[in-house]
Amino acid sequence: MLPALATPAQAADRAALPAVTPVISCEALGHVDLALAVGAAVHGQKAALLQTPKGKFCKVTGQIAPAISFEVDLPMEHWTQRFLLGGCGGLCGMTRVGVSNAGACVPALNGEFVMAGDDMGHTGPMMGLAQGEFGKDPQKRIDFAYRANHVTALAAKALTAAFYGQAPKYSYFVGCSDGGREALMEAQRFPEDFDGISAGAPAGLFTVQNSFYHAWNVRGNQRADGTSILLQSRVGVLHDAVIQHCDTLSGVKDGILEEPRTCHFDPAWVRCPAGQGDTSHCLTAEETQAALRLYEGAMDAAGHPYIIGGPLPGSELQWALPATEHGESMSNGIAASAVAYIIPAQVDEKAADLTRFRFDDASFARMNELAPLYNAENTNLRPFHKHGGRLILWHGLADQSISPLNTIAYYQGVQREMGAEQTDSFLKFYLLPGVGHCGNGEGFPQVDFLSPLMAWTETGITPAAIRTERTAQGSEPMGPPSGAHGKPPAGGQIHMAPMPSQPYARPNATATASRPVYPYPYIAQYGGAGDVNDARNYRPVKSPVPLPMTFTSHATPLIGPDNQKQYGSLNGKLVVDSAR
């Protein structure tokens, strides 16, 4: 039986590592030759003192050829021999040092890590057509796919060794969304880069996710004339009906579905009776069918699915739908740039017009030609396990942007490849009820994954129950929408402006309620006594969902062992590097 609730991480739960002071000046660090360490030229390298509320850091910036901008911040006074690289979201395009889901982790709060970040090899906004233009450069595709974080890690470790006279004792990677894909990519392609990895809501099926999934979110909700059917103002009707008809399975009627996979949407719950004029509390037949299509996800004319799954029931308030019939949604921006510039082998700027997108086998094949480049779905994690690596995988169950079913399918794939017992020895998987994409939502989105990851990596304390929290102001680790209760603002436009760069974690906000999450497949159930808003009053029960889940879609074969390739750029074209 799993423990009812793990206590918050204490100092004894991590290795007792003394602080190490620099052996050279910050100015000298700007002249350390990094070319040999990263295997490429480094341009514009410079170092300067950075004064913060947590003390002084030596801030080193530069650019690894051809265009990977990086920043490494090294503590001047209290480095406790740890290094952390934070992943980007969206399509990245900006260099930011920071860490999310670490607001109760004392070393991170104190600024005791060497911390680094990079722009994934290009500059621009995190989303949009202008950002996607880096797809015209084959090398920048490679850098975005997998190279940028690896060489940044090599640069950061070389700077650390030069500055303190020793390498990091422990190295960590933390990321969500595309940062979650980057986290898995590190475990899969570069298993010796990091000792502990936290991968949240990973966009591992990148080639399917950013084409068929998001294009369907647009096209599946449109009439023949291109106007949108289900609008942002109407998702409340859908959500209320789901909560009314589905068991929370937590023993508490709080509107949070502990296990939404047991809830099967019935159009009759929301469809207005024939001839009813007032539709304020129900959906028209057209709206109902649009909702059904979004739940089901992309499929061909015969009903054969192309994706692992759509958003789960209970996620409706997170759906980033247009505000008006002629408005655009976040999905439109994601899919347009991806299918025009990034995902297909050949750039096709006209493809940004999603009315041209075809949900057929030929299109699926074209969108997945570069799956071995972009996707982080290699289930053979034996090299990472051999290295002694530890991986925490997590996903919000109310995530509309990336279906948690993708991550469940990947986790099952690792179990199938490596065996359940071996998988459990180095990988723990958590699903967060009512939590949206990398945070927000109606659930309990404030959570510290770094502390249990450190305890596991450094002292062997296996993660069990993890405390998640709800706060008065919600949880916005990546700067998503500022609407009330974590709901997207009018128009469904989610602007992923990241938090400002800083080499330490932001402290958690005061919790108003808490709930435990347990390693998959356990869910939290109220014990029947005490405050329902106190995590200590819950116990683990096994999910009623039959396991393993069966996934039958065109995307399913993309999840498996040893399915990645190394790429190079030759005469301006992307080629498989068979020499590596």
Side-chain angles (χ1 to χ4, degrees), residues 91 127-133 332-343 352:
L91 295 177
M127 296 181 185
L129 284 175
Q131 171 64 301
E133 292 204 8
N332 192 95
I334 292 173
S337 60
V339 302
Y341 295 106
I342 303 170
I343 292 178

Side-chain angles (χ1 to χ4, degrees), residues 4 10 13 27 71 74 121-122 148 158 167 171 184 208-209 217 340-341 352 357 365 385 410 436 475 487 495:
Q10 305 296 321
D13 293 341
E27 180 184 11
E71 176 182 335
L74 303 95
H122 59 275
S171 297
L184 291 181
V208 178
Q209 180 68 33
N217 281 353
Y341 295 106
F357 194 86
H385 179 233
Y410 177 71
S475 174
K487 300 176 186 177
H495 302 284

